[in-house]
Structures are given as structure tokens and as C-alpha cells.
Amino acid sequence: MLTARAGRLPAALLALALLAVAGSAAAGCVRRSDEDPGPVPDVPGGTFTVALTEPDHLTPGRTTSSYSLQVLEGLFDTPLALDPADGHAVPLAAESISTDDQRVWTLHFRPGARFHNGEPVTAASYADAWNAAAYGPNGWEANGYFSQIDGYAALNPADGAKPPTDRLSGLEVVDDSTLKVTLGAPFSQFPMLLAFPAFAPLPKAAFADPAGYDLHPVGNGPFAMDGDWRHQQRIDLRRAGGYTGPRPATADGVHFRIFTSKDTAFTELRAGHVDFMASVPPSRAYEAKRTFGKRYSVRPSGTMDYLGLPLWDTRYAKPELRQAISMAIDRRGITRAIFNEVFAPADSLVAGMIPGHRAGACGETCEYRPERAKELFDRAGGFTGTLELYFANSDPTYEQWMTAVANELKQNLGIRAIAFRKMSGADLGPILNGHKATGPYRQNWVVDYPSVQNYLAGLLGPNNRSGWSDPAFDRALALGNAAPTAAESEEHYHEAESIALRALPLIPLWNWQDQTAWSSRIGNVLVDPYVAGLHLEKVTVRH
Amino acid sequence: MGRYIARRLLYAVPVLLATTFLIHAMVFVLPGDPIQGLAGDRPVPAAVLAELHRRYHLDDPLVVQYAKYLGGLLTGDLGRTFTGEPVADTLAGRWQVTLRLGLTAWFLETVLGVALGVWAALRKGRWADNAVLAGTTLVIAVPVYIVGYLAQLLFGVKLGWFPVAGAEDGWPTAYLLPGLVLASFGVAYVARLTRASLLENLRADYVRTAGAKGLPRWRVVVRHTLRNSLIPVVTFLGIELGSLMAGAVVTEYVFNLPGVGQQVFQAIQLREGPTVVGITTALVLVYCLANLVVDVLYGLLDPRIRHDQ
């Protein structure tokens, strides 16, 4: 009898352990993602959960990360906002904005606005916030966004010395609701810049305890913080009680759950524990389409990938060679094979969703024409030595598409020796900025405001990475910046774009698109392709 | 025994100094500029760059950086992350998560591993033995993140038994699935080790003697054979306690547990020197202590091993 028991002892232990594992399984009800209980009623109240990646900061001037911006969309009202339909600037915290010469701008703010802690929002709240961000020694990440304002150079000495003042000379608080902004040069796109969260106002508390404020930002938007930001875990917002602005919140609250892995976040969305996800990984495109159906959308984004060329290396000096490389790349094939058709082949230097984008601006040069490419390649005198491709190791798809590009250059142009220079972003940045690369590199651009000018000035302005410059290009940009109407500005920007596309220091590759999916619990989901992301205040919840 | 333990603890000091210096050197000597890396494809204004370099001591020579770090360490300052939080603060909220996960996995590994091993050994050559062998081979062959995602889909989404990810449901609910995934490799290893060791000892003369003198079989297996057979298993489990704490990196990433492993994963990606060095120092300590515990346990299992001569 004892022997028999001994035989079963380990089996019993095993069963016990298994029971312990299974027994504590969560018994709570599980909402399944694939059920469709019909449209969400349009009533206020309820809370919903959004999947997020850890933001870097929640103080508006200290971040440019899109994950932070999604939270700040709820917490802050910027002076202006971008119309979700076409990206033109519309009033938000400001009632009006006016200028006569595109250089001196006058902002009038809505009266009676208050921060979540009751402090009145005045013109000085804006000036203080902008001064703090523009002051170099503060080391705030959005510093560069203020470079157009008069006095920026004085706050950011190139040698890192201590600036003589901590205020932008171009800001003048006229009265509690009026702010006069003087720019260094005329800049017709300035209103769009004012929709960027770094231009939001800050209360006095932000300066008294910056570290505490970053964990619990007090804003002027439709939602307020509900408890502190719990790093790597969650951020909770609740409807702000005293909000008087033009976009009150519909839901009672928003929970952001922070994930390190987007795949895990997507699994949580499928399990029904998360209601909204703004960037489903491209590798799960087909699964998302199948599972979420109508609640899945691919929306255009302003992010572009380019192949940058080192013009200081004489081998890349001839435009024909650069065009040959461009025409040897099968953009459609690569976006299909590597990005599951979520990314769109580029036909211009700017993304398709930007007002002023010209379809086919790049023409034949951005199409896949292997024979023509070979012809141009031979006319340019071919290529000698090793062609090195530079890219960062931060995402495995970079190497995948670079490999595809390398194979096409081998096949279509007959360049035999191709090498990869793959390294961390920390190493690649200084090499590219210091003009030390000896081959084409991955160049990416995330748009700040939806204007052709943002791409052209950001990528090809003074001291750009490719080392290209053309006075005609600079002149066209400056004319666009000073033009009195949007249409006239656009005309000059288009001219500048055409100049850059003829010279081709940057080869447009493809335009990123974001895959969004959401649960059947939420309705009125408006995701805009500009800075705002999901319009949190508009979301309705089934509850 | 007391003197032995004191001596072993003293040995830990040079080990700690050497490892922190090596890690420091490896993290900081790498070329490139982590601040530029953070900014991605956008140039950083010179004034901002200078300020951030100053704040994180990035312009000092290696030895000066290390001295400053050690000085800080003695006063309890582990440095700051790139978002400005003190590393010590970020660790304070995290080590419990990793400890819970590690101990859960270690417990599952010990219980399941030894049980499966004994079961397989006693049924050598029959289906149970073959099933354990085949199952453990499979688990050892599949990378842990694949096991993790599969477990999430099966137990979290399809069956709904466990939360898919996150630590919010607390112990034990939130830790069982990641614990099991983290333990999977170790369970397989412990089971095979126990099986092999037990089989070898079951053939030994003293076991036949014990059986011949009429002892019940369970007594022969548990008291006489298993105790001897567990010595290699204890060695593995002891070192495993340290590796589980360190190896939680992938599991914490997949299961979104806000522990030390998740932090070190992100810190390495961002090249945050102080965070990486601070966490590794703590892990080296855990390793040293785990090894000491194992060595002390040997004496209890096998009276022939003595530490004080």
C-alpha cells in the first residue's frame, strides 16, 4: 500500500502545483474584441483605456515625443489647433490671431480661462512657458521650436555659455489677454506652429517644483490629471470641472496604460482590456484587419523615410547618379514585402496628407525604372569603391528594407560591393550631422506642423545632413515665408520643392501610415494625422 | 561557518568594484552621443546639448566619471536617468516586482521541475518518461518570448484565465503566467537534471541494500536516493535564483511588468549609463549572495562537505 502511494506522490504534487496555477485564474468577465453590439450611444460619461508607450515628459516644453503629445492633447489647450480635416490653423485657447507683415503677430486669448488648480490663464502664462522652453540652459527638448522668435539666439549661445537674459525679446505681454510676438523674419506658417503642445501655457506651479509638475501637470485643457503619472504603468485623466473652453470632454475619464511592447498592447486590445491603440505593429496588419473590421483604420501620417546622400563625397556629386539610385528602388515591392502594404510609396518630398502636397511631384524619378536607371548610371560614369549604407539598429525593419535596397542596386545598377553600416542611433547621429558618412543613409522626418515648409526647411535648410545648398532654393523658401496669403506661400514652397527634387540630395522612399484599432466600447473615434492624435474629448463610451 | 560566511562577504567587495568598473567602461567608452541618439533625426541646439552633457557628466574622462559615480554610490546616489529621475527612486518602485516574479518562477521551477524529474525517473522508458523528455526538449528549444506571446494568446485572450499583461492585479494573479513562462526553461532543465541524477543513484549498491533490507520503496526513493541526487539540482537552482532576477528582462518586456528587467532593457536602448551600472551592481550583489547560500546548503545536504577546516 505504501509503495502504491509513493508512486503517486510526485503525480499528486504535480497536480497540486497545476491546480495552484489554474485555481487563481482571474474569474472576472472578459470582454471579447470580436463581438459587435452595435453603435455606441452618444451620451456623456464612462471611462476608456488607451494603450500608450512611456512618454519622456509631460511638461509641454520638455517633450516632442508623440506618446507625450497624446496625453497633452487632453491636458492642455494650445493657442491654436489644427483642423482635423485639412490641417489649417483654427482658434482654440486664443480667440484670434492677426498680423500685417507675417513678422509681428498679435494673439488675443479667451477671457475667464483657468488652470485645473484655479489659477487664471493670462498672456503671461504663455510668455513664461515659452521663455522657459527657449532658454538653452534649461535643456528642454522642444527648445528648437522657438527658434523663429526674436531673441532666441541670445538665449542659446552656440558655445554653451550662460545667456545674458532669460527672456525672449520678441515676446511682449500687452495685457492679461493679449500677447505680441515678434519673429526674427517673416514666417507665414507661424499659426500652425502655435498648435504644437510646447506653446501651451504653464501655471506658476510648473516653475516652483518642475520635477513634481512633470509627474502631475496642471493644464488648461478638457481633462485634468487624476493622481500622479505612474512611470511605466499608467496615467489617469478625469474630466476637468472648471473647463470653459470650446471643446469640453464627453467621457468622465481616460486611462492610459503604458506598454513596453506594442505586441503585448495589441494582445490586450484583442482581450478587451484596452479600448484604443494608435499604432498597431505593421507585422500584425492582417490580423488586425480580420479581427477589428470596421474598427480598424489605416490613417496617413506625416512621417516620411528617405535615402539621404552624402554630397561631400565626390562619387555622389552627379545628379544623374542620384537619380539612377532612386529609379533602381522598387518602392511598391518593398512596402508590400516588409510593411504589409501599410506604408505608401512616396511620390514627393512631403507626405500625402500635407495640404500643398503635389501628387507625382517627383515624377519619373521616384518610379521603378530599372532600364532607365542603368542608362543614367552609365552616363554618370558608374560607381567606384564600396557603397556603404548607414542606418540605426533601433528597429529590425531598417535592416530589412536596406537589404532590399542593396539587392536592387546590385541587380539593377551592377554595383557589386555594398556594405552595411548598422549602429545605434547614438553613434549614427554625430556621424551624419558631422558629415562623416561615406554612403547613403536612412533619413526619417516626423512632421511638426502640416506645411510643405516644415519638410523643406527641416531637411534641406542651412547645415543640412546631405551637405546640399542652392541659393535659389533658399530664396524660394524665404519668399514663401514672407508671402501674405497661404496660396502665395504654397506657390513659392512648390518652386523650392521642385528645385530640391531636380537636384535630389534626398531620395523620397515611402510615407508611414498608422494603423489604428479600437474596441466596440467606444464611439466617435476621431484620430487626426496632425499633432493631436486621438481627440480624447470627443470619444463616447458604452457604459 | 560564521567565519566562512564573513570571508565570502569580504570577497564580494573586489568583485563588485571590478564589475562596476567594467560595466561603466563598456557603457561609457562606446563612441557616439547618447543625447543626439535621443533626439533621433533632428539636430539638437548647441546650448541644449552642452547643458545635457554637463548634467550627465558626459564630457568627463572615464576615470573621472567612474570616481564621481563611486562617490555618489557611497552617499546613496545612483545617478539620474535621462528623464531626470534619480535612478535610486526608479529602482525603489521596481525591485519588488522583479523579486516577486523571480521567486514565483523559482518556486514553480523547483516544485514542477523536481516533481516531473522524479516522476520520469520512476517510470523510466514508459510513456510518462518519454512525454517529459519530449516536452522538455521542446520547451528548451523555443525562445522565451515566443512562449510568452503564445501563453498570452492562449491563457489571456482565448481562455481568459489570467490577465494578459501588467502587474495591476497584484500577486499571485498577475505573476503566475509570466512566472511560468520565465520558469519554463528552468523547469525543463531541472526535470532532466533530477531524472538523470536519480536514475544514476537508483542503480547504486546502497539503494539495492536498502531495498534488500526491507525498507519501503518511498523511503528508499525520498530519504536515500533523492537527497543525494539533489546536489547538482541545488547547485543549478541556487545560481538560477540570480539568473531569474537578471533573466526577467525579456519576460518583463513581454508581460509589461514594471520591474528592474524592463528598466534595464530601456536603459540599454537609450544608452543610459547610470541606470545600467546601478542595476547591474544590484544584480551582482544578488548573484554573490545566491552563490553563498548554495555553498552553505551543500553542507546540509551532504555532511561530507565541510567549510571550516
Side-chain angles (χ1 to χ4, degrees), chain A residues 286-304:
Chain A
Y286 298 128
E287 183 188 346
K289 230 174 274 181
R290 214 173 40 236
T291 317
F292 291 93
K294 276 182 294 185
R295 288 174 281 109
Y296 163 84
S297 83
V298 175
R299 72 197 155 94
S301 98
T303 305
M304 295 276 293

Side-chain angles (χ1 to χ4, degrees), chain A residues 6 21 24-26 57 137-138 143 231-232 234 257-261 264 268 426-427 433 444 446 448 465, chain B residues 31-33 36 41-42 45-46 51 55 83 85 94 149 161-162 164-165 168 176 218 253-254 256 262 266 271:
Chain A
V21 171
S24 49
H57 291 287
N138 279 343
N143 173 288
H231 279 297
Q232 303 286 355
R234 58 189 307 136
R257 270 187 66 192
I258 301 169
F259 290 91
T260 29
S261 155
T264 304
E268 282 284 48
D427 302 331
N433 292 337
N444 172 268
V446 183
D448 305 306
R465 281 181 171 176
Chain B
D33 185 342
Q36 185 62 60
D41 283 345
R42 255 163 236 281
E51 164 59 21
R55 204 176 286 173
T83 52
E85 272 183 292
R94 288 172 174 277
Y149 284 125
W161 289 0
F162 296 99
V164 173
E168 305 208 328
L176 281 171
W218 69 270
Y253 170 77
V254 170
N256 209 43
Q262 193 194 45
Q266 281 166 337
R271 295 258 312 267

Side-chain angles (χ1 to χ4, degrees), chain A residues 477-502:
Chain A
L477 266 191
L479 282 174
N481 288 347
T485 67
E488 281 173 79
S489 294
E490 213 167 88
E491 205 174 297
H492 292 294
Y493 295 148
H494 282 162
E495 189 195 332
E497 191 198 1
S498 298
I499 295 171
L501 281 171
R502 275 197 297 274

Side-chain angles (χ1 to χ4, degrees), chain A residues 2-3 5-11 13-14 17-18 20-22 24-28 30 32 53-57 62 64 135-141 143-145 152 155-160 214-215 230-234 257-264 267-268 270-271 273 284 287 394 424-430 432-433 442-448 454 458 465, chain B residues 30-52 54-55 80 82-85 90 93-94 97 107-108 111-112 114-116 118-120 122-123 149 152-153 156-169 172-173 176-177 180 216-219 221-222 252-259 262-263 265-266 269-271:
Chain A
L2 277 172
T3 323
R5 248 182 60 199
R8 272 192 221 116
L9 179 71
L13 262 177
L14 177 72
L18 280 177
V21 171
S24 49
V30 177
R32 300 302 292 275
T53 300
E54 171 86 343
D56 53 351
H57 291 287
R62 297 183 67 181
T64 60
Y135 185 65
N138 279 343
W140 284 18
E141 279 77 353
N143 173 288
Y145 287 79
Y152 173 84
L155 296 190
N156 293 277
D159 52 2
D214 207 38
L215 290 180
R230 285 164 58 203
H231 279 297
Q232 303 286 355
Q233 294 189 63
R234 58 189 307 136
R257 270 187 66 192
I258 301 169
F259 290 91
T260 29
S261 155
K262 289 207 165 105
D263 281 299
T264 304
T267 309
E268 282 284 48
R270 283 199 58 184
H273 300 145
R284 297 180 84 168
E287 183 188 346
S394 33
S424 78
D427 302 331
L428 188 59
L432 296 183
N433 292 337
R442 172 184 179 271
Q443 171 72 53
N444 172 268
W445 187 255
V446 183
V447 71
D448 305 306
N454 182 241
R465 281 181 171 176
Chain B
L30 285 174
D33 185 342
I35 302 295
Q36 185 62 60
L38 284 182
D41 283 345
R42 255 163 236 281
V44 183
V48 176
L49 200 64
E51 164 59 21
L52 293 179
R54 195 193 55 72
R55 204 176 286 173
R80 277 173 186 275
F82 282 160
T83 52
E85 272 183 292
T90 66
R94 288 172 174 277
V97 174
F107 175 78
L108 290 173
V111 173
L112 289 180
V114 172
L116 281 175
V118 171
W119 191 39
L122 293 181
R123 279 169 173 59
Y149 284 125
Q152 282 179 335
L153 277 178
V157 180
K158 289 269 182 265
L159 298 172
W161 289 0
F162 296 99
V164 173
E168 305 208 328
D169 295 298
T173 318
L176 281 171
L177 196 58
L180 200 62
R217 182 158 165 77
W218 69 270
R219 226 184 130 88
V221 171
V222 175
E252 285 182 7
Y253 170 77
V254 170
F255 283 93
N256 209 43
L257 295 174
Q262 193 194 45
Q263 167 130 9
F265 181 88
Q266 281 166 337
Q269 270 190 333
L270 296 178
R271 295 258 312 267

Side-chain angles (χ1 to χ4, degrees), chain A residues 103-125:
Chain A
R103 183 165 176 234
V104 181
W105 298 78
T106 309
L107 282 156
H108 285 285
F109 297 105
R110 285 177 206 277
R114 285 179 182 278
F115 286 106
H116 302 142
N117 62 2
E119 185 187 320
V121 182
T122 67
S125 318

Side-chain angles (χ1 to χ4, degrees), chain A residues 297-317:
Chain A
S297 83
V298 175
R299 72 197 155 94
S301 98
T303 305
M304 295 276 293
D305 272 337
Y306 307 88
L307 196 64
L309 294 159
L311 266 60
W312 56 90
D313 186 325
T314 50
R315 295 177 298 172
Y316 300 94

